[in-house]
Amino acid sequence: MGVNLSLPKNKRKKTKDENSIHSIDDVSKKSSVNSEQKHEFNYIGGRKFYDSNVAPYVLPADIEEDDRIHQQHFALKHICGGNYTAPIHDIIKPGSRILDLGCGPGQWTLEIAQEFPYAQVYGIDISANFPTSIKPSNSHFIVGDVTKGLPWEDNYFDFVWIRYLFVGIKDADWQNLYHEVKRVLKPGGILEQHECDGLTENPGPKLKKILYHINEGLTSNGLCFRLACQLSERITMAGFKNAQPSYISTALGRQGGKIGEIWAANLREGCGAMKPWLSKLAGLTDTEYDLLIQYIFDYEIEEYSVYHNHHIVWARKI
């Protein structure tokens, strides 16, 4: 599952005409783009994954995964008490611009566009799984690989949002990406990032085994399993000021109440989504893998009082 993505060679502004960036209207109209995208995927165990030479993303790129991400969005919105924690009401004014970096199917983008109808809200993702027509008029979607540079001029955005991209951005690409985010942010603009720690707290022996192999798979793809614990340091190294780190713990299963059950169900689906490659790393048949995941989420998370940490950092460009 190795990857070979190149870093951008300079900081110049890219245009929408370049091959790596397509507006959503272009994607929906040009068959050449759709045909090209067919060759970017591998089908493993009935699920569609990005070819490792295109992107290091270890989760599927299909409708089932989009459904899981939607569920994840609503769970995280509840866990974090809203769609953001930074004081962005102080900076978002008529004409402001907001960027959802790695927007996935676009739920956060759409909700923020509704909350701030006087701002322009952009979502960018390597996969065109976001809505093309039924959406607020102030929401815009772009197809692009963010590790190859952002297609906007300097000092363009007031707020940049990143969430749960540790499974899709190579460790070696993060610092360059932070510098690109800083470039496109206006002075006084805010970056906010949310990531979950790859490790859960108090894992039982069977969950430890799965986490070991998830870490193995991510590391072989050049990804950082515990990026969440390093956010503040990395963002500060990129030149952002006054980083405000925090984290929220969520108990899994019944011990965490309704949201704990929802979050456990989401993690369970995530493990199911990774089964085509994770079962092989663990040396298990599909049936053995299914039984192991069932045991972990039906019994072990309750027995060991497992919980998960969600790390949050926001910082300003000065």
Side-chain angles (χ1 to χ4, degrees):
M1 298 185 66
V3 294
N4 183 25
L5 293 179
S6 59
L7 290 172
K9 296 180 179 179
N10 53 48
K11 297 289 186 179
R12 69 180 178 85
K13 182 182 72 172
K14 288 183 170 63
T15 69
K16 293 182 182 179
D17 293 330
E18 294 188 60
N19 291 334
S20 60
I21 302 293
H22 305 280
S23 74
I24 186 60
D25 292 332
D26 289 339
V27 171
S28 64
K29 293 176 182 177
K30 293 183 180 179
S31 60
S32 60
V33 173
N34 293 328
S35 175
E36 179 184 38
Q37 287 185 334
K38 291 178 181 178
H39 302 291
E40 296 177 349
F41 301 104
N42 293 319
Y43 289 82
I44 310 171
R47 302 298 298 270
K48 183 173 72 171
F49 289 85
Y50 269 104
D51 186 289
S52 59
N53 292 312
V54 175
Y57 194 61
V58 296
L59 287 160
D62 54 24
I63 294 176
E64 292 86 352
E65 177 61 10
D66 286 347
D67 288 342
R68 188 194 69 81
I69 292 174
H70 280 300
Q71 294 170 13
Q72 176 179 276
H73 165 78
F74 292 112
L76 288 171
K77 183 177 178 180
H78 180 88
I79 290 168
C80 298
N83 273 324
Y84 49 86
T85 66
I88 65 173
H89 282 277
D90 297 339
I91 62 172
I92 304 301
K93 299 175 174 60
S96 290
R97 302 184 186 98
I98 298 169
L99 174 61
D100 182 0
L101 197 154
C103 64
Q107 187 62 39
W108 188 91
T109 313
L110 299 175
E111 291 186 15
I112 294 299
Q114 291 175 320
E115 182 173 350
F116 298 99
Y118 46 83
Q120 298 300 312
V121 185
Y122 296 78
I124 183 170
D125 199 274
I126 196 171
S127 183
N129 291 340
F130 25 70
T132 61
S133 56
I134 304 177
K135 60 186 181 70
S137 60
N138 63 323
S139 63
H140 316 277
F141 292 102
I142 300 290
V143 179
D145 183 347
V146 300
T147 67
K148 291 178 168 57
L150 301 179
W152 292 281
E153 61 191 27
D154 297 357
N155 306 320
Y156 194 77
F157 291 102
D158 298 270
F159 181 49
V160 176
W161 164 265
I162 302 174
R163 183 170 66 188
Y164 279 41
L165 286 190
F166 81 105
V167 294
I169 303 292
K170 290 177 67 176
D171 192 14
D173 288 340
W174 273 108
Q175 285 311 115
N176 186 79
L177 182 55
Y178 286 136
H179 283 290
E180 273 288 273
V181 169
K182 185 169 178 284
R183 178 183 68 77
V184 301
L185 266 175
K186 297 176 183 178
I190 293 176
L191 162 66
E192 181 169 351
Q193 184 169 1
H194 293 216
E195 300 288 348
C196 70
D197 189 354
L199 291 181
T200 58
E201 300 293 331
N202 299 337
K206 296 187 185 302
L207 180 54
K208 280 183 180 178
K209 177 180 180 179
I210 287 299
L211 291 173
Y212 172 83
H213 290 298
I214 292 176
N215 186 15
E216 183 183 8
L218 267 63
T219 301
S220 70
N221 251 25
L223 303 168
C224 183
F225 188 53
R226 306 202 70 189
L227 175 72
C229 304
Q230 305 170 17
L231 291 181
S232 184
E233 178 183 357
R234 292 189 183 218
I235 289 172
T236 300
M237 285 176 59
F240 287 90
K241 303 297 183 182
N242 303 319
Q244 304 292 318
S246 61
Y247 71 90
I248 301 170
S249 297
T250 303
L252 301 185
R254 293 187 299 274
Q255 60 181 329
K258 184 62 176 177
I259 194 62
E261 293 179 1
I262 292 172
W263 190 245
N266 187 266
L267 294 177
R268 185 174 190 162
E269 288 184 22
C271 288
M274 292 185 286
K275 180 173 74 170
W277 61 266
L278 187 52
S279 60
K280 292 179 174 59
L281 274 183
L284 301 172
T285 66
D286 284 355
T287 299
E288 290 170 338
Y289 182 87
D290 290 341
L291 289 173
L292 178 64
I293 298 302
Q294 180 179 353
Y295 180 85
I296 289 171
F297 286 96
D298 284 353
Y299 303 105
E300 198 171 81
I301 61 170
E302 304 287 351
E303 180 181 356
Y304 287 85
S305 299
V306 178
Y307 64 95
H308 217 166
N309 289 329
H310 309 268
H311 290 254
I312 302 167
V313 174
W314 67 266
R316 290 185 187 272
K317 172 182 174 178
I318 304 299

